[in-house]
Amino acid sequence: MLTKFRGLAAPKGLPPAIVKIWNDAAQKVLNDPEYKKSYLAENLAPHYMGHDEYGPFITQFASDTAIFLKSTGVIR
């Protein structure tokens, strides 16, 4: 299975009110009918992941990717 993702980056310690604005904006974009239409046309499945979930996701993704690349001999 292929996982393709996008994320927004900001300085560490961003105030919670600003994190909420960004989270709300990301959800609004993903729920926009025109955006969904173009996304789905490329056989992509939009999935919103909040700020609290994204850090652990990236950490796990990096670990899984390293394991895969080492097991296939791409990296040592």
Side-chain angles (χ1 to χ4, degrees):
M1 181 170 94
L2 176 65
T3 300
K4 182 177 180 179
F5 57 91
R6 301 281 189 265
L8 299 174
K12 188 175 184 174
L14 202 63
I18 303 300
V19 171
K20 181 178 179 347
I21 289 169
W22 283 32
N23 281 340
D24 292 349
Q27 288 180 69
K28 184 176 180 181
V29 169
L30 288 175
N31 289 321
D32 178 85
E34 286 299 312
Y35 182 78
K36 272 187 176 181
K37 182 179 173 182
S38 65
Y39 212 75
L40 295 172
E42 297 295 324
N43 293 317
L44 299 171
H47 171 74
Y48 172 77
M49 185 179 298
H51 174 75
D52 293 337
E53 296 173 272
Y54 196 70
F57 166 78
I58 292 297
T59 300
Q60 186 63 53
F61 183 82
S63 175
D64 292 346
T65 300
I67 291 168
F68 171 76
L69 293 175
K70 286 177 184 175
S71 73
T72 58
V74 174
I75 61 174
R76 293 184 188 179

